Amino acid sequence: MQEKFGQLSLSRKVVAALSDMGFEEPTPIQAQAIPLVMENQDVIGQAQTGTGKTAAFGIPIVEKINPKWFAVQALILTPTRELAIQVAGEIASIGKHKQVKVLPIYGGQSIERQIRSLRFGVHVVIGTPGRILDHLERRTLNLENVKIFVLDEADEMLDMGFIEDIENILQKTPVERQTLLFSATMPLPIQRLAEKYLKNPRLITINKDTLTVPLIQQYYFEVAQGSKVDALCRILDYENYESALIFCRTKRGVDELVASLQTRGYFAEGLHGDLTQAQRDKTMKSFRQGEVDLLVATDVAARGLDIDKITHVINFDIPQDPESYVHRIGRTGRAGREGKALTLITPPEYRQLRLIEKLVKAKITRASLPSLQEVVEQQKEVIFQSLQNIVQEGNLGTYQSIALDMMSRFDPVDLTAAALKYAFTLRGVELSEVDFSADFGNTGAKPGMVRLFMTIGRQQKIRPADLVNLVANETGISPKAVGDIDIYDKFTFMEVPEDVAHRVIHIMDRQFINGKRISVQPARAK
């Protein structure tokens, strides 16, 4: 531990605290930022949640604090109360051996309690802009002794309309302070803010290849719109997840999906902007404690969430903004753990997936929905392992008597089958088939293929090779996957695999080819 963080010339008390927290070696942003901050440089860090940026500014803050001087020596602004609490907790852990006093300040909590804490004396304040301004107006927070000012998640602040509040707060701090700004992206208003308030800042950029991290396995599933909930349930039944964060595009979508999941027996709760603070706190507590293992949220509601043990991020709705995808999946695969990012898409959304792939500079792997048999095998193994553990633990005397009594009245195989049915039901698994794609009927194609009718032909001077390349480039399917092609004067028949037929139809229909807008539909068998 000391050989790795010791290279950053940290005190023994801070190194001991980092060891207690399980930190093994500095992340790239920590290795770059900590020496600069220790040298009193202003710093701009372009990095997202999950890269270790809290410790990147938290460690040098703790090193610079004089614990014997009870004044607010560092101020950190965050966009949400959840992030304020998370940052406060991490800095308190880093500073525990130095007796650094940390206070999170946010709306929704008793301001009188915060005022009392400030009167007792704190070294580091972490807060949301609105509540910080409230304290400044009441003169219950004094920023005259602030040596370090940190603006965390600056682009999120911009999105939430906090820039004016931030400037008002900055103007209440000493001119000679050290300023650190962290942001996932650098839109123009954030650049202007940095130019105005930072002195010769050093820029640290953690590129997107680092942000998406190889420990996150990324897959997508293509499903018909009306089958998304059933497809999600099939995935959940197959995946071995501890806790999963599921994203929907709208608040209504969150409520509807939570209701559908709860009806099917899953432990799911929702998180969106219409919840009261008490409801939000209760939901987050249940999720953190493992009472709820599925948290369904909107992008806005999930801002500032920082939970280490999320094993899966599932995009029930693909994000409209490709950068939101990077934000979402960064909430799994934390602290060196592996994570999975799974995305459900309908055929019209394939273009959006291609944009995301360009942004993350990686191919997101297509995955097939688990078959019923695969789900059964997976659940059977889980149930078998659970039963094996119970047998090995022993102490089954009373249960053996009940079993013998029941076996005298029923066939042992029927009893076992009934017990398995009960176990599967408790796990939310219904052994019934679900059709995840619309039925194309008989299109006259070979088995496993769909024959498509396209309103383009020889009159548009189209050749088979041209058509194959065009379809492959637009839809992302392999050229080798395309089957028979028959080109006539005014129309064409083309065979494509059944599992990509919806995608080909939705993307190619109404496209312009050689100056003609074409129509693409399933063919009708003769």
Side-chain angles (χ1 to χ4, degrees), residues 66-307:
N66 178 357
K68 295 180 180 178
W69 182 27
F70 279 95
V72 178
Q73 300 168 48
L75 174 65
I76 302 163
L77 288 188
T78 67
T80 64
R81 70 191 303 272
E82 284 80 15
L83 189 57
I85 294 167
Q86 184 265 323
V87 170
E90 190 160 335
I91 294 178
S93 297
I94 295 168
K96 67 178 182 179
H97 296 307
K98 284 192 68 174
Q99 278 76 52
V100 172
K101 301 294 183 185
V102 179
L103 178 66
I105 287 178
Y106 48 83
Q109 185 189 51
S110 167
I111 196 165
E112 286 76 18
R113 189 187 306 167
Q114 294 171 359
I115 292 170
R116 284 198 301 271
S117 298
L118 288 167
R119 283 175 180 164
F120 278 115
V122 296
H123 303 113
V124 184
V125 167
I126 304 97
T128 52
R131 183 51 67 96
I132 294 291
L133 281 174
D134 197 350
H135 279 283
L136 291 174
E137 290 170 3
R138 292 168 181 255
R139 300 177 183 267
T140 51
L141 175 62
N142 184 348
L143 302 181
E144 292 176 359
N145 299 302
V146 167
K147 303 298 182 187
I148 303 177
F149 178 91
V150 181
L151 182 58
D152 196 12
E153 304 277 13
D155 53 351
E156 300 283 5
M157 299 273 203
L158 174 65
D159 290 343
M160 298 170 79
F162 286 144
I163 292 298
E164 187 177 335
D165 292 345
I166 292 167
E167 295 208 53
N168 289 336
I169 294 167
L170 273 163
Q171 289 161 10
K172 299 289 194 304
T173 61
V175 176
E176 64 273 15
R177 70 179 183 274
Q178 182 180 11
T179 308
L180 315 176
L181 184 151
F182 291 85
S183 187
T185 59
M186 294 297 295
L188 190 58
I190 298 300
Q191 294 177 35
R192 288 173 178 159
L193 190 74
E195 290 169 3
K196 186 174 180 180
Y197 292 100
L198 275 68
K199 301 182 292 289
N200 302 316
R202 300 288 294 273
L203 176 64
I204 300 170
T205 301
I206 304 301
N207 61 44
K208 289 186 171 67
D209 290 339
T210 303
L211 293 175
T212 55
V213 296
L215 291 174
I216 301 178
Q217 302 173 51
Q218 300 175 59
Y219 300 94
Y220 76 90
F221 301 86
E222 189 174 325
V223 298
Q225 180 65 43
S227 303
K228 285 181 75 174
V229 174
D230 290 321
L232 174 63
C233 293
R234 180 69 64 86
I235 292 166
L236 292 173
D237 291 341
Y238 183 76
E239 288 290 329
N240 186 24
Y241 64 90
E242 290 179 31
S243 60
L245 182 56
I246 303 174
F247 282 97
C248 290
R249 198 169 293 137
T250 65
K251 292 179 283 189
R252 181 178 176 182
V254 168
D255 289 337
E256 290 176 350
L257 182 56
V258 168
S260 296
L261 290 172
Q262 290 177 345
T263 300
R264 288 164 167 80
Y266 297 92
F267 295 101
E269 291 291 346
L271 200 66
H272 57 63
D274 285 350
L275 298 181
T276 65
Q277 198 60 58
Q279 290 172 320
R280 186 181 175 97
D281 290 344
K282 181 180 178 183
T283 297
M284 289 308 304
K285 182 180 179 182
S286 298
F287 189 60
R288 285 193 170 94
Q289 293 179 348
E291 297 165 3
V292 169
D293 49 23
L294 299 175
L295 183 63
V296 185
T298 58
D299 285 299
V300 172
R303 283 176 180 166
L305 290 185
D306 195 56
I307 302 168

Side-chain angles (χ1 to χ4, degrees), residues 318-343:
I318 192 169
Q320 294 290 345
D321 173 13
E323 290 208 4
S324 295
Y325 176 85
V326 181
H327 281 276
R328 288 181 179 188
I329 70 169
R331 291 182 168 90
T332 186
R334 295 290 186 87
R337 300 184 184 92
E338 290 190 359
K340 272 190 179 181
L342 310 177
T343 301

